[in-house]
Amino acid sequence: MSLSSTTGAAPDLVRREAQDWLDSFADALSKRHASAVVALFDPDECFWRDLIAFTWNITTLDGRPAIGAMLDATLARVQPHQWTIDEEAAAPDERNGILTIWLRFETALGRGRAIARLRNGRCWTLLTTMYELKGFEERSRHRRIMGAEHGAQRGRETWLEKRDRRQAAWGDTEQPYCLIVGGGQGGIALAARLRRLDVPTLVIDKQPRPGDTWRNRYKSLCLHDPVWYDHLPYLPFPDDWPIFMPKDKLADWLESYVKIMDLDYWGASPCRKARYDDAKGEWEVEVERDGGIVILRPKQLVFALGTSGYPIVPQIEGAETFAGEQMHSSKFPGGENCKGKRVVVIGANNSAHDICADLWEYEVDVTMVQRSSTLVVRSETMVDMVWGPIYSETALDAGMTTDKADLLSASMPYRLTPRLGVAQWQAIAERDKDYYARLEAAGFMLDFGEDGSGLSAKYIRRGSGYYIDVGACDLVANGEIKLKSKAGIARIDRDAVVLSNGEALPADVIVYATGFGSMNTWLADLISPEVADRIGKCWGVGSDTARDPGPWEGELRNMWKPTQQPGLWIHGGNLSQSRSYSQYLALQLKARMEKLETPVWNLQPVHHLR
């Protein structure tokens, strides 16, 4: 399976090239000859991305010296072996000569999958991942439990009675090994993985029901990512599910998922405080429940509170004098509450566009204030040109399952994402040039990222600054959503937002679609500022672009991997990342529960606090 179309190269020659490289690679690894392994990588540019298989970390080695240092530190312990080609190698793409090989392998502790890309006979990029721990495999297929207890038994417990007893015991006679704070898609996906690995896990959330985070938003909200990209682990959406899911449909699915996957979930149970006991190697977590406080003592604490921290509301002169309503976009109740009012939305990214479109549907007088440029892309174009090659019905027909697509997506190092994105987004700009011309004519400020690298690079760098157009841009271009750009905000008066050019925008409601802070801001309140600073900034890769300060770090900061605080983990991202990376986080937690050796190589340093 290759990312690109293939040439007519002889299949035997392609198989031989792939097998020859793999034989040399496997032989050098088995002999623990790090230098011989390194010699099989491209001397000019090469990358090895490892998802816990060698390093018990999520890390990328950039260049031969870094790869050699990792191998020197890990080979004796990891003992990689049993390397095989998983699928028949495709001929190299005639445009770049890249040969992609799908692999399987084993280590002393686990089983893994890998993807290697060869260029001129040497490895350009290598992804290694662990998907299974030996002796601690998931309870699935041939390992599924019996369930029913056949035969007559007096005083037997039913499945329901056992479940109720188990759930009632948390914080009383039993303690979870892992406590997940946050019951959205991230926390639920991870809990499902851990349940299948027999890791005692409890999910807590401040909302009463699973899915309420989606259920309680404005009525028109829907996913901007297509259904093939958004499956949860083990239980894909039905094949008649809508391509773009309405928020209430997703909310009901999450609630059903919790029940079907038999997860232990406490709703209406916010975390109030947490403290790590170094001597005991466990957490003490205060949870508000049923009017009282329950103390939980997990060994591992996971914060799964989304992709960001607290809402950011800018400090603007005069805001305290405004006579109308002010709210952050996360609190926007829906356009029906604003009928007959004049609304100013400050911001021009996903939430701002969605909210403006929602207001327009209720015939509200709405103005969008764009203070900086935004990457916008038509949803249809994203489906065709970005997601479509690996996440689509066509991709499924060609044998590209969700698991394969996740591996292929993970196999490209973040260092290369901007470079590969430039050509793709130039093609998008050409395809939709008339669309972009209409927006610019309306005064909308456009970008494709600071270096033209597109949405994927912008997402990993800052998680914001874009809009996937599901309809609002036409309203902006037509003037039905009023637009004010190329000016900042000078102050807020009693009944208006005053721009830096002196123009006053009459307003009864102001919505701040101004984004969110770093995820570790939650930690400052729930644990301590010291722990938040010890963890450091979450998200971003050190690209030295807006909101992603350098130095280059190569992986998303603190996500799904060990942090500088023992027993504390961050799990976030979109639905796709929640599905994919929950596997690697779950295996790390399971290994620690079973007291396996998990020496972390290249634990990420902290360069930025919050």
Side-chain angles (χ1 to χ4, degrees):
M1 188 71 64
S2 174
L3 274 171
S4 308
S5 60
T6 61
T7 69
D12 288 345
L13 292 177
V14 172
R15 282 194 293 269
R16 176 62 62 84
E17 179 184 353
Q19 192 64 58
D20 285 350
W21 180 86
L22 181 59
D23 288 345
S24 298
F25 180 69
D27 182 63
L29 287 173
S30 68
K31 294 174 180 175
R32 301 180 191 172
H33 287 172
S35 60
V37 176
V38 169
L40 296 168
F41 282 78
D42 191 308
D44 299 322
E45 180 183 64
C46 57
F47 304 89
W48 184 331
R49 188 175 192 222
D50 183 60
L51 305 184
I52 78 172
F54 280 66
T55 61
W56 284 112
N57 199 358
I58 293 177
T59 188
T60 296
L61 300 319
D62 188 339
R64 282 182 164 190
I67 292 171
M70 183 274 286
L71 292 171
D72 285 337
T74 63
L75 267 183
R77 169 182 54 80
V78 175
Q79 300 173 35
H81 59 284
Q82 290 292 106
W83 292 87
T84 58
I85 294 178
D86 194 25
E87 299 185 24
E88 184 172 343
D93 187 288
E94 61 185 0
R95 294 165 295 180
N96 55 32
I98 302 299
L99 175 61
T100 303
I101 317 172
W102 296 67
L103 307 168
R104 286 184 182 264
F105 66 98
E106 295 188 16
T107 67
L109 294 179
R111 300 179 183 91
R113 299 186 181 97
I115 296 178
R117 292 187 181 90
L118 306 188
R119 185 169 65 182
N120 299 322
R122 287 192 171 92
C123 188
W124 175 43
T125 72
L126 176 65
L127 169 74
T128 48
T129 73
M130 182 189 294
Y131 72 89
E132 193 169 64
L133 284 166
K134 293 179 178 177
F136 303 103
E137 294 84 359
E138 290 187 355
R139 291 185 288 103
S140 63
R141 301 193 65 210
H142 299 293
R143 300 185 185 93
R144 68 176 79 217
I145 62 172
M146 181 66 71
E149 298 176 7
H150 296 161
Q153 295 182 35
R154 289 175 175 162
R156 76 161 71 209
E157 269 189 315
T158 65
W159 173 86
L160 178 62
E161 289 167 338
K162 289 179 181 178
R163 187 201 65 184
D164 290 347
R165 176 171 55 80
R166 181 188 79 225
Q167 294 185 350
W170 295 128
D172 184 12
T173 58
E174 299 290 336
Q175 293 292 342
Y177 178 78
C178 179
L179 177 66
I180 300 173
V181 179
Q185 62 255 17
I188 289 171
L190 178 60
R193 301 272 192 194
L194 292 170
R195 179 89 175 124
R196 303 245 296 205
L197 288 168
D198 288 320
V199 177
T201 300
L202 176 63
V203 182
I204 62 172
D205 196 271
K206 66 180 180 181
Q207 301 290 346
R209 297 162 56 195
D212 274 351
T213 301
W214 291 94
R215 196 175 283 115
N216 296 336
R217 299 295 302 280
Y218 51 93
K219 291 196 295 186
S220 63
L221 180 64
C222 67
L223 293 185
H224 291 196
D225 303 330
V227 66
W228 308 281
Y229 187 68
D230 287 337
H231 296 299
L232 291 179
Y234 313 118
L235 199 60
F237 299 115
D239 60 12
D240 68 338
W241 223 243
I243 294 174
F244 295 102
M245 207 178 313
K247 55 103 176 178
D248 292 294
K249 195 171 185 68
L250 176 61
D252 288 348
W253 179 267
L254 294 174
E255 186 169 30
S256 300
Y257 187 88
V258 168
K259 295 177 181 178
I260 293 168
M261 302 305 291
D262 193 19
L263 307 183
D264 290 349
Y265 187 106
W266 283 1
S269 302
C271 173
R272 292 304 183 199
K273 204 67 181 173
R275 181 184 68 84
Y276 188 69
D277 189 322
D278 289 287
K280 295 181 179 178
E282 68 182 25
W283 292 89
E284 181 181 280
V285 183
E286 297 179 14
V287 180
E288 183 179 329
R289 182 162 174 82
D290 296 331
I293 295 293
V294 177
I295 302 298
L296 297 172
R297 294 184 172 83
K299 298 292 185 183
Q300 309 290 340
L301 180 61
V302 179
F303 281 87
L305 295 170
T307 59
S308 51
Y310 290 115
I312 295 174
V313 177
Q315 299 298 308
I316 300 174
E317 179 186 345
E320 72 282 358
T321 70
F322 186 65
E325 296 177 84
Q326 300 180 75
M327 68 195 73
H328 189 266
S329 58
S330 59
K331 302 296 184 183
F332 177 66
E336 68 270 29
N337 297 283
C338 298
K339 288 181 178 180
K341 297 179 180 179
R342 300 161 299 179
V343 181
V344 173
V345 177
I346 298 174
N349 298 332
N350 261 341
S351 293
H353 279 84
D354 280 353
I355 288 169
C356 286
D358 186 76
L359 289 163
W360 177 88
E361 291 186 10
Y362 288 95
E363 301 182 13
V364 173
D365 181 344
V366 56
T367 301
M368 177 191 294
V369 178
Q370 185 188 29
R371 300 174 298 164
S372 58
S373 63
T374 305
L375 185 157
V376 297
V377 58
R378 295 172 63 246
S379 176
E380 296 90 339
T381 301
M382 281 290 291
V383 170
D384 290 347
M385 298 182 66
V386 180
W387 292 308
I390 57 175
Y391 294 104
S392 67
E393 215 63 48
T394 302
L396 283 170
D397 290 343
M400 181 60 69
T401 65
T402 301
D403 284 344
K404 288 182 184 178
D406 288 347
L407 277 176
L408 198 57
S409 179
S411 70
M412 189 56 65
Y414 288 132
R415 177 74 84 177
L416 297 176
T417 300
R419 184 196 310 173
L420 299 175
V422 169
Q424 181 182 56
W425 285 85
Q426 287 174 343
I428 288 172
E430 176 61 26
R431 166 176 162 154
D432 292 335
K433 60 185 177 182
D434 293 340
Y435 164 83
Y436 290 118
R438 289 180 61 226
L439 281 172
E440 288 184 316
F444 195 87
M445 297 185 292
L446 291 165
D447 70 58
F448 288 122
E450 290 183 27
D451 49 6
S453 55
L455 195 151
S456 294
K458 205 167 195 182
Y459 177 69
I460 64 172
R461 290 167 173 174
R462 54 185 286 187
S464 64
Y466 56 86
Y467 170 56
I468 300 173
D469 183 12
V470 293
C473 282
D474 274 342
L475 300 175
V476 172
N478 294 339
E480 296 175 78
I481 292 173
K482 300 174 187 176
L483 174 68
K484 298 297 178 181
S485 63
K486 303 181 179 69
I489 298 172
R491 68 181 187 277
I492 294 175
D493 288 345
R494 188 176 186 278
D495 59 356
V497 175
V498 181
L499 303 181
S500 57
N501 62 9
E503 183 179 4
L505 307 177
D508 303 301
V509 178
I510 301 173
V511 180
Y512 297 98
T514 45
F516 298 82
S518 173
M519 280 176 263
N520 71 335
T521 55
W522 297 108
L523 309 183
D525 286 349
L526 296 177
I527 306 176
S528 71
E530 293 76 20
V531 168
D533 289 345
R534 188 180 309 151
I535 297 293
K537 184 178 176 68
C538 299
W539 209 262
V541 292
S543 63
D544 205 23
T545 58
R547 301 191 186 182
D548 184 27
W552 178 254
E553 301 185 52
E555 291 288 344
L556 286 167
R557 299 180 187 97
N558 289 309
M559 301 305 301
W560 317 295
K561 60 185 176 182
T563 67
Q564 294 285 346
Q565 169 61 51
L568 184 62
W569 310 79
I570 308 294
H571 179 53
N574 57 28
L575 277 155
S576 174
Q577 290 170 311
S578 295
R579 173 191 66 246
S580 178
Y581 285 95
S582 60
Q583 178 179 41
Y584 307 113
L585 178 48
L587 289 171
Q588 292 174 83
L589 295 169
K590 175 65 173 179
R592 283 161 174 77
M593 189 186 84
E594 300 298 344
K595 296 182 170 52
L596 303 179
E597 289 189 36
T598 56
V600 178
W601 189 84
N602 201 29
L603 181 66
Q604 201 156 24
V606 174
H607 298 292
H608 308 283
L609 301 184
R610 273 177 270 173

